[in-house]
Every structure is written in structure tokens, then in C-alpha cells.
Amino acid sequence: MKVLIIGGGIGGLTTALCLHKLGLEVKVFESVKEVKPLGVGINLLPHSVRVLTHLGLQSIIAQNAIETTDLAYFNKFGQPFWSEPRGRFAGYKWPQFSVHRGRLQRLLFEEATRVLGREALLTNHHLVSFEQNEGEVIAHFVNKETGQNIGQERGDLLIGSDGINSVVRQQLYPNEGPPVYSTNILYRGTTQMKPFLNGTTMVMVGHNAQKIVAYPIHPEPDVEGNKLINWVANVRENGQQKLEVRDWNRPADQPRLVNLYRDWTFDWLDVPAMIAGAKVVYEFPMSDRNPLGRWTFGRVTLLGDAAHPMYPIGSNGASQAILDADYLAECLKNTQNPTEALMAYNDERVPATAKVVLQNRAKGPDEIMDRMEERFPKGFSEDQIPRAELEEVMNRYKQIAGFDIQTLNQKS
């Protein structure tokens, strides 16, 4: 069986490695000419690290990432109201990692090159269309820079893992339209600075109209003891700064952002200094797409952001793509007919990921931030924290997203 994978991101490369492990012939087609370590930080939750561990990648990721020890929430005054251990520190069999997205993609690309061979990874191949019949699927490619036709490829299956603006999804759903935009803008940056708290903590500060997420993403400090801190400022702009085009590389107004957070100076983290210390800050409209009722059509299916783009809440975007890859491989292993395998994958992952997309729209675990802001806008005393209520929100999200500890630790 030959599988064509459209998109060489985290989901596509993980899928290639999972399917190769089954003994399938795999070819990956990526639009860009060269895979570069672009982007900023992401988190890999234990359920996705389990998959990467089975691919033999845990050790190399650990050398290039931070093993997250704990997650802590604070209000806009820097008061703590929730903290919990994460990954192995919480009793999971597998760690949670914070890592530079581009570095992880590069590690996956290098591993795919090693095990599949460089000839199986075709860069500068942009999909323009595909067709299928009873026996095969045929994909047509161009050079994205020049528009020149560079041929076609035939296979038994085609996996669309080509992101939120997926060509595969567009052909399957030609009338869907653009992504669904929120009124929130994400401002992203990385800053070399002194580590905060215990040096491996992920923090959420503020509430969903204005918050900061920050965590270290590289294990090695510089000569002055500074570490690379990834941070995301989430600001509800109420239409004033609403962006209509998704561009990860659009520079933001850094001084304006520093001013927005000018009062967020805590004894454990100086937020305006962190923002000001970034070499560049990028702005990006927080957006997703409505869940689909179906991804699989014959010999073609969707995966990752092409299937279920979601708000970056709960650290689940990359993790869910990795779970897609794992379950798709399981279906192809256990079901002899390949199109039936794609439908089995569809029937499991479509509803599972739809719940996460909708839960993230409803604030996901970050709902506890708004509850605390609404109830205690001027701050709180420790005995006022509704711990049982907050715990219920956090545990519910873990179950929806598939990483509650009891269920996950039962897996090998």
C-alpha cells in the first residue's frame, strides 16, 4: 500500500513515521522549498508524547525541550489561585514537553529522512488538486513559487495534513469559506531572560480578555544563566485590531503591547520587561474552523489542523494531530480494507476532536481564569479560592481532550 501525505508539518511527519513503522510505502509532499525551524513554542501533552516515545523519539526531544514540571494560574495582580504538577510529575507514564515548534518539526523531518529516505520527502511540491477512482488516488502538484506544473503522484490513499488552509479540505468542502475569527489577537515572542518560579513552570496569568502564557522552551541557559522563554499575549481587541489574514510572520506594535501590560510587574515575573526583551513580536488572529461531520471520502481523509484547527487553549493543537496519526495507523493495522480503515479512523477522531474544538471555544481549562476575574476583580484572599470548583473544570477538560491520568496510564 502506498500513502500520499500532503503537508510536512508535525501531523504529517508523525503520520509518515507511524505508517512507515507498519511497513507501508509513504511519500510526504510539502509546499515550501526548505523546512526551516519557524514558529515559537508549543506543548506536547503526555498522550502525544506516548506516541512519539513509541517512535523512539522521547530521548531526542528531551534533549531539545523542557520537561514541564507544573502548570500555575495567576490573576492579573500576580496572585496564584491554581497549580498542579504535569506529566511524570503528576504520575503520568510519559512527560509533558515544552519545545520550540520549528525545532520539533526539524527533529521529525530528520527522523523521517533517516527512516524513510530523503527521496520520500518531496519539498517544493504544492498540491493543486486530486482525483480518485476505485483503484487509486492521483495528486497533482505545482511549484508554489513559479506555478509551474511539476507532475502527479499515484497512491492507494491520500492524507490531507496541510493546515488550516488545506487544499485537500477545500476540494472536499469547496463552499466552506475562510476560517472563523475570534476578536482575540495572539501576540507571540521569545525572550532570553532569567527563569521564573522553579524554571520549568508553565504559567497562565490574567483572564481571557487579557492574559499572558509563558514557559521556557530550551534546556540550555546562556552564559549569563538566561533561558529562552516563550510567551503569548492574548488580547481581546473588540474589533479595533482585528486581523483578517492569517500570517504567522506579521510584526506587531511592540511598544503598544508593552504599554497594555505596563502594570503586570510581579515579584516573580516582570511581564512588560519580558515583552520588551523580545527581538520581534508577531501578531496573529486567533481563529479556528467549525467542526466537520466527516473527514473521509473514499481514499482521502484529513488530519491535524486540516481536519480540526482549534484555539491554542489547553496545549492541544499539536497533540491532537499526533493522536490522529497514531489512531490512523492503528486503523490501517487492524482493518484489511484501506477505505474501511479510513472510515474507522473518521468515526473515532471526528467526534473526539470536535469536542476539543468546541471546548476550546468555550475557554477550555482557562475558564477558571474568567471565573476568578468575574468573582474577584480586585483580588482575593487564599481562603476565598473555590478549589473544588476549579478542579472540576480542569478534570473535565482532561477527560474531553483524552489525557485524564487513569485512562491514559492504562495504555502501553
Side-chain angles (χ1 to χ4, degrees):
M1 189 187 303
K2 180 178 178 181
V3 183
L4 312 180
I5 297 174
I6 310 302
I10 291 168
L13 292 170
T14 304
T15 303
L17 291 168
C18 288
L19 300 189
H20 174 81
K21 191 175 179 182
L22 288 182
L24 306 184
E25 181 183 355
V26 179
K27 294 190 87 168
V28 179
F29 301 87
E30 170 56 47
S31 283
V32 301
K33 185 181 295 186
E34 180 183 357
V35 176
K36 297 179 180 179
L38 302 176
V40 287
I42 60 170
N43 265 260
L44 297 173
L45 298 178
H47 54 357
S48 66
V49 176
R50 168 184 167 271
V51 177
L52 298 172
T53 299
H54 289 165
L55 293 172
L57 294 170
Q58 185 183 134
S59 177
I60 188 66
I61 293 172
Q63 296 170 33
N64 290 272
I66 292 286
E67 183 171 351
T68 309
T69 57
D70 58 312
L71 168 66
Y73 282 83
F74 300 80
N75 70 0
K76 63 192 176 190
F77 304 112
Q79 291 181 286
F81 59 85
W82 179 265
S83 66
E84 61 179 43
R86 301 291 276 192
R88 289 191 290 204
F89 299 92
Y92 287 93
K93 289 182 181 179
W94 301 275
Q96 175 174 328
F97 288 123
S98 298
V99 63
H100 191 288
R101 182 201 172 279
R103 186 178 292 269
L104 175 64
Q105 183 183 7
R106 190 70 211 177
L107 291 174
L108 291 170
F109 188 85
E110 290 170 356
E111 178 68 4
T113 299
R114 186 183 71 81
V115 300
L116 276 73
R118 184 63 179 86
E119 66 278 3
L121 305 172
L122 285 78
T123 56
N124 207 27
H125 276 63
H126 178 71
L127 180 76
V128 286
S129 66
F130 64 86
E131 67 250 15
Q132 60 177 311
N133 54 47
E134 290 186 6
E136 63 180 357
V137 59
I138 306 166
H140 302 272
F141 299 94
V142 297
N143 179 318
K144 193 171 185 179
E145 293 181 354
T146 66
Q148 180 183 1
N149 182 12
I150 52 176
Q152 64 184 30
E153 192 81 27
R154 297 171 183 267
D156 296 288
L157 300 175
L158 184 144
I159 314 300
S161 185
D162 47 342
I164 190 169
N165 294 312
S166 165
V167 175
V168 180
R169 179 169 176 148
Q170 187 177 20
Q171 185 168 329
L172 295 175
Y173 291 92
N175 299 317
E176 182 181 22
V180 180
Y181 293 98
S182 70
T183 58
N184 285 26
I185 305 297
L186 302 177
Y187 298 91
R188 297 171 175 262
T190 57
T191 304
Q192 283 287 144
M193 55 185 280
K194 296 294 182 188
F196 50 82
L197 300 178
N198 70 5
T200 53
T201 300
M202 179 180 187
V203 298
M204 307 277 190
V205 189
H207 49 88
N208 282 294
Q210 185 175 357
K211 73 179 179 184
I212 281 282
V213 181
Y215 49 88
I217 56 173
H218 195 274
E220 297 300 324
D222 63 19
V223 293
E224 298 177 350
N226 296 318
K227 282 195 172 182
L228 187 64
I229 305 298
N230 178 81
W231 56 265
V232 182
N234 182 348
V235 180
R236 187 175 300 150
E237 296 286 6
N238 297 319
Q240 298 173 18
Q241 292 286 117
K242 187 176 180 183
L243 305 176
E244 294 296 336
V245 179
R246 292 174 60 97
D247 179 2
W248 286 108
N249 301 308
R250 186 193 349 251
D253 184 344
Q254 193 167 357
R256 173 182 176 271
L257 193 62
V258 172
N259 186 55
L260 280 175
Y261 286 87
R262 63 187 178 276
D263 297 328
W264 293 38
T265 304
F266 317 127
D267 58 2
W268 54 275
L269 178 64
D270 187 335
V271 174
M274 179 176 68
I275 296 171
K279 291 182 179 179
V280 63
V281 176
Y282 299 104
E283 60 183 7
F284 189 80
M286 191 166 80
S287 50
D288 62 5
R289 287 188 182 275
N290 293 322
L292 297 172
R294 181 177 176 182
W295 301 344
T296 295
F297 295 83
R299 296 177 175 273
V300 177
T301 197
L302 300 172
L303 184 145
D305 275 357
H308 49 74
M310 58 186 65
Y311 291 171
I313 291 174
S315 306
N316 250 293
S319 292
Q320 291 296 325
I322 291 168
L323 295 186
D324 291 345
D326 181 56
Y327 197 76
L328 176 61
E330 185 176 331
C331 291
L332 286 167
K333 177 182 178 182
N334 295 330
T335 306
Q336 202 166 27
N337 184 305
T339 57
E340 290 178 5
L342 291 196
M343 280 308 301
Y345 159 77
N346 177 96
D347 293 345
E348 169 68 22
R349 294 301 293 161
V350 167
T353 55
K355 291 177 183 177
V356 182
V357 171
L358 297 176
Q359 187 64 208
N360 283 9
R361 281 187 182 177
K363 306 172 189 176
D366 294 356
E367 180 185 341
I368 67 174
M369 305 176 82
D370 281 0
R371 290 194 185 190
M372 293 298 291
E373 170 66 14
E374 290 162 5
R375 205 167 299 177
F376 309 110
K378 296 182 180 180
F380 53 84
S381 59
E382 188 173 345
D383 61 351
Q384 291 179 300
I385 301 172
R387 300 185 191 282
E389 178 184 330
L390 304 185
E391 183 176 16
E392 189 276 329
V393 173
M394 299 299 285
N395 288 341
R396 182 176 71 240
Y397 186 77
K398 289 171 187 173
Q399 291 173 349
I400 289 171
F403 69 105
D404 63 289
I405 190 167
Q406 293 83 5
T407 303
L408 185 58
N409 276 357
Q410 291 175 3
K411 298 182 178 181
S412 59

